[in-house]
Amino acid sequence: TTKRTILIAGGSGLIGTELTMFLIRQGFSIKILTRSTSRVSQIDGLEYIHWNPADRSIDSEGIRDIYAVINLSGKNIIQSRWTKKVKSELRSSRIDSTNFLIQSLMENEVRPKHFIQASAMGYFGDRSDQVLQEGDSAGQGFMADLCQDWESVSQTVKPIAELSILRIGLFLHPKGGFYKTLKTISPLYLATSFGNGRQFVNYTSYHLFNRLVDSILNNKIPTGLYHAVGYEALSLNQLISEIAKHSGGAKIFPNVPAFILKLAMGESSAALLYSTRIESKKLKDLNFYKNLDLSATLNQL
């Protein structure tokens, strides 16, 4: 059988790097879209393809003969305060680049079987303790608008590919993301939550995310919209104390009050203060879950 080739946008971030290595182990060959013109791969089955959405340039030969596209591109949402400029970059890195990617496929008559699009639980805004499943409506605020527009532009791929949208929670990976930050401070016996800590969050372990992508690529589950999150949502306090426990029983320090977080981070503090109780009825119905609680997930990490 020929190696099936996957094109990944946003492949050099934490989620993309892990997914790339996983898919190569599964026998796929990977092409990563990169703005750099000089990146040469040292890894068998991995190739870099030049693109630059800002000046609308792409190596049109490099994107031919692909089985699927995975779009993870987007600037980190809580790296800096949401100034007007940063908001514009957050939108452009998601919406304009997705739009350009889909247009490039169409103009070059590339018809992949799958187009897998990342999104986030920010789609729902601040929703208190309402349990949010795949069919529920979007929320309000900058993050909700950003995710809605991102998902909406990805719909334009439907004439040429089957679309799946994966909404991601707090990403758990030993080498980065939310888990690593907490694990770094936990050995110092410091662990703290934000606001009152009762806000709901859900997490995405890299194991679950990789398996979900693999299941879609191998047509083991239907294409469509999925909440790529753990079995159940937790309060931020629960999540943080569970991670601290796994890191050698750190003392939980008093929560950082919401007003201090807002002073430090401005509007982007919403990413840590909003309550989003997102779960996946669809993955439960498919009996997809191997880990039914956070403790089992952390053991696997």
Side-chain angles (χ1 to χ4, degrees), residues 17-36:
T17 305
E18 183 57 54
L19 181 65
T20 295
M21 297 320 293
F22 171 79
L23 291 174
I24 288 172
R25 291 195 298 272
Q26 303 307 110
F28 291 99
S29 62
I30 306 294
K31 291 181 172 183
I32 290 182
L33 288 168
T34 176
R35 285 177 179 77
S36 156

Side-chain angles (χ1 to χ4, degrees), residues 153-207:
V153 74
S154 71
Q155 298 286 343
T156 60
V157 83
K158 281 185 164 174
I160 61 162
E162 289 182 37
L163 173 65
S164 294
I165 294 172
L166 309 183
R167 291 189 187 135
I168 300 169
L170 295 172
F171 196 67
L172 300 185
H173 187 288
K175 294 198 188 86
F178 194 72
Y179 177 75
K180 185 183 178 212
T181 307
L182 283 175
K183 207 158 158 34
T184 309
I185 58 176
S186 288
L188 307 171
Y189 296 99
L190 303 171
T192 185
S193 188
F194 306 101
N196 63 19
R198 292 196 291 273
Q199 63 273 43
F200 280 95
V201 291
N202 208 329
Y203 55 89
T204 302
S205 83
Y206 75 94
H207 289 291

Side-chain angles (χ1 to χ4, degrees), residues 44-78:
D44 194 31
L46 175 63
E47 194 184 335
Y48 290 101
I49 304 296
H50 177 68
W51 82 324
N52 189 342
D55 63 18
R56 301 186 75 75
S57 63
I58 193 163
D59 173 357
S60 52
E61 279 308 305
I63 64 172
R64 295 191 192 283
D65 302 322
I66 51 173
Y67 172 69
V69 177
I70 300 171
N71 184 22
L72 306 168
S73 57
K75 181 181 159 77
N76 187 334
I77 198 114
I78 52 172

Side-chain angles (χ1 to χ4, degrees), residues 110-122:
V110 181
R111 298 181 76 89
K113 175 156 174 58
H114 293 287
F115 190 96
I116 298 176
Q117 171 66 48
S119 184
M121 62 182 183

Side-chain angles (χ1 to χ4, degrees), residues 65 92 286:
D65 302 322
S92 163
L286 288 164

